[in-house]
């Protein structure tokens, strides 16, 4: 197989991302440590460069001490600061996580200043953006962090006034005595509170949700105004003294090595300071071989890159071909694959059925296309590395970069910056490793900038795949047998690529009596990895459509069959769905979309449910299809149960965005490969949905009191099957190919 | 050479005339609110106003702009720093997800409203069709343009 190592694809990371890891299922409390002033200054002071870099460095402590019982809160006489621990990639955590702290601290939200925290695993536990885990992993811990500070402020007031603490109450940053005239602001009490003992976690009393002032409300993003002023919030905006601009050219076929390049000619170009070859470290997830160019400006570097001529050794490089893969899949679908799950007896179910249905589903590879192309600023001197990195996985980035430049991770400082989109791409730190290696070799700080063309050519793609489906319904019109022969891809010949592995838990596993899942993998060298709702983002399209195919074969209403499959309300294993919650969102979406109403010719409704990342989500699409296969999506209705909502504005935005992303991907997006090379190079051939095609999206949340779960991903998967089912309802055509443009459909 | 940006004359020494305005703004003048997304006029992240008309700065050489009035996201707020109606609508309606496209979206909307203060839904869609939002915030962008237009018409 490939000589390249793809070892970043650890199963642990995969599980977290697929929403299957334990971590995303329960509130894991990161260790909260009490810091003394000196430690805290040291930690936050590591945010060197301060304001210039878009960080508000905590000002030096004034004469009086600040209250800072943990890494999340700092109060002194000048104000209340709450630290946002995780990378912001557009999922809203820089706002929603601090809201959790502020609620239990009992401050007015507009009095809070939110500051991005340093990377510090001891103080903050895991800091990353992936798997829709931020809310479930932090919901409890961050509320406790706020409650801790509040308790110390109350203690300080009690001591000052000689009153029992339980006679005092708090609101909007003020402590008051119940019946008296005593009152003091948190800012006034901060320095006294700083010397109070930190209360034990067990002694803290958290608010009754009925009394929430901030959680569940519509709170606007903390960076909204700075964004509107064009402030330097993003990775790409960073400038450090003496910095040069770098580009890095890798082999267009992954795995190719540099033989020779016109380096002297490049070095003679205007503004070019240096050009050199890097060997790579043998790991496809870290540093691939290539040629670096260092210039005085981004534009000069880009122009030099266009003039670069490299001779590549492609002996071990990728020869991936999508058209070959399609041909292979066409023959593989007739042969049994490796058994992944097998319950009951599908063959017997088929034999005794009233009707059988087959369908061959296929979907293309797609790219992340996050709008900010990869970039990283790096400075290496005196054995220390400093990185300004828009990454979703900063901890892993520090470890990888340290290895690349040969120093201890303790000598790496990483400043986390707002990311112009993530969608899973920035979980992998190849761009960061490149920046570190280039900075070390160049001897000056550099900002590595990928072009959009680099971004499309060197993405870690969502793998395409193929499913030969076969199913049956019995005499009562009930789904009796279900077989999914899945053809996926593999990097190492042993396990499927990230996001390309099925399990028996995939819907309708555990719900239908006779289910068999088989899997076969085609060898593949181009890197595949997590992409918004990994696995679910494609499996939902297949299974959500095929349930409808069976319902249609049975001559029954899809909604009835779906509810019948879900059955009695019950929890399907510790990580599985709750069928009662599932049924509730299905019914809610149907009701809000007015399911069953009479529609004109060429118009139809389609429904789908999918459970991913612990979220129960149903969607109903309302579409019109004309004779030219032009599809107008009139509306999408979403019903979601993700437990209590933290930020209603952010939550609604995530759902609407997921639906738009879902439509874009369903209709338009595909990357294809020939001779190992990606065939699309920019947005002209990777046509993301634009405003005229964006339908209204009606969002409804079930106000449940289950533990809250994340919302960055789970609203994505149900969209594709809902729309395909609606197309079938509208015109009687079943589309089993994604993107739909490959089947002749266009979104209008 | 000189460029007139946000009402100020800015000197740029020794700049190749072919340099796209985007990189002159970002690398030479430190105006990083204008973003790079594709470099080929496909995404609109780099949208600025040239003589009140939205243009893609990634493919606009600085050489032809010496007599032009250029407006970037940094130049929209009032003298005292107060946000203009378009910016304010974006903040109030919490449009942004990652926010990376939004400076370009705002400039496209600003350009539309300068020439057509009371656009229809269709006109809004067409005017902003050149701008991609990868995060899919189109629904709120549309609302924000309408809200800004409404406030401007009402003279607020
Ligand atoms: S960067 Fe100019 S249009 Fe995309
Ligand atoms: S908000 Fe992320 S690209 Fe528009």
């Amino acid at each position: 197989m490939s000589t390249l190592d793809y070892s970043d694809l650890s199963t642990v990371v995969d599980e977290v991302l697929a929403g299957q890891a334990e971590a995303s299922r329960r509130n894991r409390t990161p260790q909260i440590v009490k810091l003394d002033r000196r430690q805290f200054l040291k930690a936050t002071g590591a945010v060197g460069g301060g304001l210039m870099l878009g960080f508000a460095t905590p000002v030096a402590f004034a004469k009086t001490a600040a209250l800072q019982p943990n890494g999340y809160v700092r109060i002194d006489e000048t104000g209340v600061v709450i630290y946002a621990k995780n990378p912001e990639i557009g999922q809203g955590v820089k706002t929603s996580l601090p809201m959790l702290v502020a609620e239990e601290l009992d401050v007015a939200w507009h009095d809070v200043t939110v500051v991005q925290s340093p990377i510090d695993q001891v103080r903050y536990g895991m800091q990353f953006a992936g798997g829709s885990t931020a809310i479930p992993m932090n919901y409890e811990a961050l509320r406790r962090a706020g409650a801790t500070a509040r308790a110390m402020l109350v203690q300080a007031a009690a001591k000052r006034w000689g009153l029992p603490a339980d006679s005092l109450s708090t609101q909007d940053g003020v402590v008051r005595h119940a019946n008296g005239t005593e009152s003091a602001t948190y800012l006034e009490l901060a320095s006294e509170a700083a010397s109070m003992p930190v209360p034990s976690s067990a002694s803290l009393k958290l608010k009754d949700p009925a009394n929430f002032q901030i959680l569940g409300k519509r709170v606007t993003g903390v960076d909204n105004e700075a964004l509107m002023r064009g402030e330097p919030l993003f990775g790409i905006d960073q400038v450090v003294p003496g910095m040069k601009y770098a580009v890095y050219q890798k082999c267009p076929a992954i795995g190719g090595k540099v033989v020779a390049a016109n380096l002297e000619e490049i070095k003679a170009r205007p503004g070019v300071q240096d050009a050199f070859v890097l060997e790579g470290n043998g790991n496809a997830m870290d540093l691939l071989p290539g040629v670096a160019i260092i210039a005085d400006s981004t534009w000069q570097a880009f122009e030099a890159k266009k003039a670069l001529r490299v001779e590549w050794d492609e002996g071990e490089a990728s020869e991936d071909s999508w058209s070959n893969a399609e041909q292979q899949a066409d023959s593989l679908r007739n042969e049994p694959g490796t058994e992944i799950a097998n319950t009951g007896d599908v063959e017997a179910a088929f034999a005794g059925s009233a009707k059988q249905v087959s369908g061959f589903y296929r979907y293309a590879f797609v790219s992340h296309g996050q709008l900010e192309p990869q970039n990283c600023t790096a400075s290496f001197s005196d054995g220390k590395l400093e990185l300004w990195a828009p990454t979703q996985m900063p901890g892993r980035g520090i470890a990888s970069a340290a290895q690349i430049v040969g120093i201890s991770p303790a000598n790496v400082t990483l400043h986390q910056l707002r990311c112009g989109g993530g969608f899973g791409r920035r979980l992998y730190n190849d761009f960061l490793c490149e920046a570190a290696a280039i900075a070390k070799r160049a001897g000056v700080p550099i900002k590595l900038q990928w072009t959009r063309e680099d971004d499309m050519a060197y993405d870690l793609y969502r793998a395409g795949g193929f499913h030969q489906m076969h199913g049956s319904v019995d005499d009562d019109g009930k789904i009796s047998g279900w077989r999914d022969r899945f053809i996926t891809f593999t990097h190492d010949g042993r396990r499927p690529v990230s996001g390309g592995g099925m399990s028996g838990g995939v819907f309708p596993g555990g719900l239908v009596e006779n289910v068999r899942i088989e899997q076969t993998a085609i060898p593949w060298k181009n890197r595949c990895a997590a992409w918004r709702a990994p696995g679910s983002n494609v499996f939902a399209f297949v299974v959500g459509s095929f349930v409808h195919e069976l319902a249609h074969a049975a001559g029954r209403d899809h909604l009835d069959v779906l509810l019948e499959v879900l059955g009695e309300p019950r929890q399907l294993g510790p990580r599985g769905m709750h069928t009662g919650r599932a049924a509730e969102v299905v019914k809610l979406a149907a009701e809000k979309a007015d399911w069953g109403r009479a529609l004109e010719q060429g118009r139809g409704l389609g429904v789908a449910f999918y459970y991913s990342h612990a979220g129960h989500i149903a969607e109903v699409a309302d579409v019109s299809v004309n004779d030219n296969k032009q599809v107008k999506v009139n509306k999408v209705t979403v019903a979601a149960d993700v437990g209590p909502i933290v930020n209603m504005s952010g939550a609604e935005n995530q759902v609407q965005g997921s639906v738009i992303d879902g439509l874009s991907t369903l209709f338009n997006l595909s990357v294809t490969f020939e001779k190992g090379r990606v065939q699309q190079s920019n947005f002209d051939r990777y046509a993301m949905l634009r405003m005229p095609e964006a339908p209204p999206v009606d969002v409804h949340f079930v106000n449940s009191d289950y533990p809250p779960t994340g919302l960055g991903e789970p609203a994505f998967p149900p969209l594709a099957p809902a729309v395909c089912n609606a197309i079938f309802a509208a015109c009687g055509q079943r589309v089993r190919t994604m993107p739909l443009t490959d089947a002749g459909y266009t979104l209008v | 050479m000189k460029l007139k940006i946000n009402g100020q004359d800015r000197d740029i020494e020794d700049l190749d005339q072919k340099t796209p305005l985007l990189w002159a703004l970002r690398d030479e003048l430190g105006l990083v609110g204008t973003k790079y997304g594709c470099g080929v006029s496909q995404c609109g992240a780099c949208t600025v106003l040239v003589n009140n008309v939205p243009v893609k700065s990634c493919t606009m050489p600085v050489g032809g702009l010496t007599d032009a009035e250029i407006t970037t996201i940094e130049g929209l707020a009032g003298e005292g720093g107060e946000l203009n109606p378009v910016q304010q609508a974006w903040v109030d309606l919490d449009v942004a997800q990652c926010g990376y496209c939004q400076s370009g979206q705002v400039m496209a909307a600003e350009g539309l409203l300068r020439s057509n203060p009371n656009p229809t839904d269709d006109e809004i869609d067409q005017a902003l069709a050149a701008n991609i939002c990868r995060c899919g915030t189109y629904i709120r962008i549309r609302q924000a343009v309408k809200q800004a237009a409404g406030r401007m018409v009402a003279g607020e």
Side-chain angles (χ1 to χ4, degrees):
Chain A
M1 289 292 322
S2 169
T3 51
L4 279 173
D5 179 7
Y6 295 81
S7 59
D8 191 285
L9 302 172
S10 75
T11 38
V12 178
V13 172
D14 261 10
E15 278 186 15
V16 171
L17 302 179
Q20 289 159 359
E22 192 62 10
S24 64
R25 293 282 166 253
R26 58 190 173 87
N27 297 316
R28 192 183 268 180
T29 310
Q31 187 188 0
I32 297 183
V33 289
K34 184 174 191 257
L35 301 170
D36 65 25
R37 258 172 67 181
R38 179 184 297 265
Q39 282 173 315
F40 193 77
L41 269 176
K42 197 166 153 247
T44 51
V47 182
L51 294 173
M52 181 186 162
L53 302 163
F55 278 97
T57 306
V59 258
F61 288 87
K63 307 120 246 165
T64 47
L67 168 63
Q68 42 188 53
N70 49 54
Y72 298 100
V73 188
R74 181 180 187 279
I75 307 175
D76 67 11
E77 80 277 9
T78 64
V80 177
V81 171
I82 296 182
Y83 293 89
K85 64 176 272 195
N86 281 354
E88 174 63 65
I89 61 172
Q91 83 284 44
V93 289
K94 194 171 173 186
T95 305
S96 58
L97 293 182
M99 285 170 70
L100 297 166
V101 180
E103 179 67 65
E104 298 290 347
L105 179 58
D106 226 3
V107 283
W109 178 248
H110 58 76
D111 289 336
V112 170
T113 302
V114 172
V115 172
Q116 189 83 61
S117 82
I119 299 299
D120 183 336
Q121 197 151 7
V122 176
R123 194 172 302 116
Y124 298 105
M126 276 181 86
Q127 294 173 275
F128 72 107
S132 296
T133 53
I135 293 297
M137 286 177 78
N138 294 291
Y139 188 73
E140 177 91 15
L142 294 202
R143 288 174 65 198
R144 286 188 182 280
T148 301
R150 177 189 167 276
M152 291 167 76
L153 289 156
V154 170
Q155 286 298 338
K159 188 173 170 200
R160 188 195 268 194
W161 301 326
L163 291 164
D166 59 11
S167 69
L168 306 180
S169 66
T170 56
Q171 196 186 351
D172 289 350
V174 179
V175 186
R176 283 195 179 79
H177 181 225
N179 305 316
T181 51
E182 302 288 5
S183 81
T185 67
Y186 286 4
L187 309 195
E188 291 162 354
L189 290 164
S191 70
E192 289 156 65
S195 58
M196 293 291 135
V198 178
S200 73
S201 191
S203 71
L204 298 173
K205 206 170 155 294
L206 297 183
K207 282 186 183 178
D208 178 340
N211 299 327
F212 283 166
Q213 302 292 311
I214 300 171
L215 299 185
K217 304 286 187 299
R218 301 183 77 88
V219 173
T220 56
V222 294
D223 282 341
N224 281 4
E225 194 173 322
L227 283 168
M228 287 299 107
R229 295 187 190 281
E231 288 175 17
L233 296 168
F234 295 93
I236 199 171
D237 301 336
Q238 305 313 305
V239 178
V240 303
M243 181 184 93
K244 297 291 176 193
Y245 298 81
V247 289
Y248 191 54
Q249 179 65 56
K250 298 178 281 290
C251 182
I254 289 283
K257 300 187 182 93
V258 183
V259 177
N262 58 341
L263 297 181
E264 293 316 312
E265 190 184 324
I266 294 300
K267 282 191 233 176
R269 288 185 57 89
V272 173
Q273 300 291 334
D274 202 358
F276 48 82
V277 173
L278 293 178
E279 297 295 342
N281 75 342
N283 186 321
M285 311 306 285
D286 294 343
L287 184 63
L288 290 163
V291 179
I293 301 171
I294 313 292
D296 292 336
S297 74
T298 312
W299 175 246
Q300 287 170 329
F302 279 11
E303 287 293 282
K305 187 161 174 277
K306 284 188 205 156
L308 180 66
R309 300 287 167 260
V310 186
E311 185 191 328
W312 302 103
D313 167 4
E314 295 192 31
E316 290 173 6
S318 165
E319 291 175 20
D320 293 344
S321 157
W322 173 244
S323 51
N324 283 354
E326 281 189 306
Q327 279 171 20
Q328 270 178 281
D330 244 337
S331 59
L332 287 169
R333 71 192 174 113
N334 299 314
E335 298 159 23
T338 309
E339 178 183 308
I340 297 294
N342 194 17
T343 50
D345 184 343
V346 275
E347 299 308 327
F350 294 156
S353 67
K355 267 198 178 144
Q356 299 186 49
V357 179
S358 282
F360 185 51
Y361 286 80
R362 63 175 78 201
Y363 41 82
F365 282 72
V366 292
S367 180
H368 291 86
Q370 79 296 332
L371 200 57
E372 178 192 15
Q374 298 286 36
N375 64 82
C376 182
T377 300
S379 172
F380 183 85
S381 65
D382 300 332
K384 289 200 161 53
L385 178 68
E386 196 169 358
L387 297 164
W388 293 264
T391 171
Q392 289 179 244
M393 198 63 101
R396 173 100 204 170
I398 289 171
S400 306
Q403 212 177 29
I404 291 284
V405 299
I407 58 175
S408 148
N411 289 324
V412 181
T413 304
L414 186 150
H415 308 294
Q416 49 173 342
L417 292 156
R418 197 175 177 91
C419 299
F423 309 100
R425 176 59 182 92
R426 298 184 208 270
L427 290 163
Y428 309 95
N429 288 300
D430 49 345
F431 62 99
L432 184 154
C433 292
E434 291 172 6
I438 294 169
K440 183 179 179 188
R441 168 73 189 266
V444 288
I446 55 100
K447 171 156 66 181
L448 170 69
Q449 181 64 57
W450 287 23
T451 60
R452 171 57 56 191
E453 288 79 7
D454 290 330
D455 222 288
M456 291 215 59
Y458 307 104
D459 198 359
L460 288 77
Y461 308 89
R462 182 202 77 189
F466 311 85
H467 298 247
Q468 178 61 57
M469 303 299 295
H470 194 84
S472 62
V473 291
D474 63 18
D475 293 330
D476 299 329
K478 233 178 124 179
I479 297 178
S480 58
W482 179 285
R483 189 182 67 207
D484 184 342
R485 194 167 273 167
F486 175 36
I487 300 152
T488 181
F489 294 88
T490 179
H491 287 322
D492 60 8
R494 294 191 304 275
R495 33 180 200 142
V497 295
S498 175
M502 258 205 147
S503 76
V506 171
F507 189 89
L511 294 167
V512 167
E513 213 179 306
N514 306 297
V515 175
R516 182 175 170 83
I517 298 171
E518 299 167 4
Q519 191 164 282
T520 309
I522 297 171
W524 197 257
K525 282 194 178 174
N526 276 277
R527 303 172 298 180
C528 301
W531 193 102
R532 193 177 213 167
S536 305
N537 61 31
V538 282
F539 301 150
F541 159 64
V542 177
V543 303
S545 300
F546 199 61
V547 169
H548 187 209
E549 289 206 59
L550 290 167
H552 178 75
R556 298 177 60 196
D557 184 73
H558 184 198
L559 188 65
D560 294 341
V561 173
L562 196 50
L563 292 171
E564 180 180 270
V565 168
L566 292 169
E568 290 303 304
R570 64 205 187 281
Q571 176 74 38
L572 297 183
R575 292 170 189 183
M577 73 163 101
H578 188 285
T579 55
R581 297 175 75 185
E584 191 175 351
V585 294
V586 168
K587 285 187 230 164
L588 181 61
E591 176 205 318
K592 296 292 181 187
D594 202 1
W595 183 265
R597 72 181 192 271
L599 295 167
E600 65 269 24
Q601 182 76 19
R603 186 168 178 184
L605 298 184
V607 65
F609 164 82
Y610 208 75
Y611 170 80
S612 85
H613 297 79
H616 298 75
I617 305 204
E619 298 180 12
V620 174
D622 170 350
V623 312
S624 300
V625 187
N626 68 15
D627 293 342
N628 298 323
K629 291 188 167 182
Q630 290 179 316
V631 181
K632 170 140 187 69
V633 178
N634 302 307
K635 186 159 117 178
V636 176
T637 305
V638 184
D641 181 354
V642 289
I645 300 299
V646 172
N647 180 357
M648 192 53 80
S649 176
E652 187 190 86
N653 210 348
Q654 287 306 305
V655 173
Q656 292 183 329
S658 299
V659 167
I660 302 292
D661 191 7
L663 282 172
S664 211
T665 314
L666 170 64
F667 277 90
N668 294 348
L669 302 185
S670 101
V671 286
T672 53
F673 302 82
E674 294 306 333
K675 295 200 178 75
R677 289 151 165 83
V678 179
Q679 302 297 291
Q680 293 72 19
S681 64
N682 208 314
F683 294 139
D684 50 346
R685 291 187 61 206
Y686 195 73
M688 283 194 259
L689 184 143
R690 292 168 187 269
M691 195 187 282
E693 295 101 52
V697 180
D698 192 17
V699 184
H700 303 272
F701 292 108
V702 173
N703 196 5
S704 77
D705 51 11
Y706 287 92
T709 54
L711 206 43
E713 293 163 282
F716 181 96
L719 186 277
V723 170
C724 290
N725 295 341
I727 290 173
F728 183 81
C731 68
Q733 295 296 313
R734 173 57 58 187
V735 201
R736 302 191 186 91
T737 296
M738 190 158 73
L740 268 50
T741 44
D742 286 356
Y745 290 85
T746 41
L747 179 64
V748 294
Chain B
M1 69 179 294
K2 269 196 184 15
L3 289 176
K4 190 161 190 202
I5 299 173
N6 300 329
Q8 289 181 342
D9 284 327
R10 303 287 300 259
D11 261 318
I12 312 180
E13 304 274 313
D14 305 331
L15 194 66
D16 182 340
Q17 304 274 304
K18 294 195 295 297
T19 307
L21 175 60
L22 169 66
W23 298 110
L25 292 170
R26 291 186 57 85
D27 290 353
E28 310 298 326
L29 299 168
L31 295 170
V32 296
T34 306
K35 299 298 194 235
Y36 167 63
C38 69
V40 293
S41 293
Q42 285 288 323
C43 75
C46 65
T47 306
V48 299
L49 302 185
V50 172
N51 298 328
N52 292 322
V53 176
V55 301
K56 313 283 192 302
S57 65
C58 67
T59 47
M60 168 98 13
V62 288
L65 294 171
T66 40
D67 297 321
E69 296 263 359
I70 297 161
T71 311
T72 70
I73 189 87
E74 290 90 347
L76 291 187
E79 302 262 294
E82 70 281 4
L83 297 182
N84 89 349
V86 178
Q87 293 171 304
Q88 194 61 52
W90 246 255
V91 170
D92 293 347
L93 291 173
D94 197 26
V95 172
Q97 284 187 32
C98 81
Y100 194 75
C101 71
Q102 301 295 351
S103 128
Q105 306 277 5
V106 164
M107 297 314 292
E110 177 72 21
L112 168 68
L113 296 180
R114 284 189 185 182
S115 67
N116 178 0
N118 204 1
T120 62
D121 283 13
D122 242 21
E123 287 168 337
I124 294 173
D125 278 12
Q126 291 317 317
L128 276 89
N131 292 66
I132 291 173
C133 176
R134 168 66 179 92
C135 301
T137 64
Y138 297 120
I139 296 165
R140 287 190 180 183
I141 293 174
R142 210 182 267 142
Q143 285 170 343
V145 178
K146 281 197 222 175
Q147 178 162 314
R151 284 191 189 159
M152 283 158 82
V153 168
E156 283 171 39

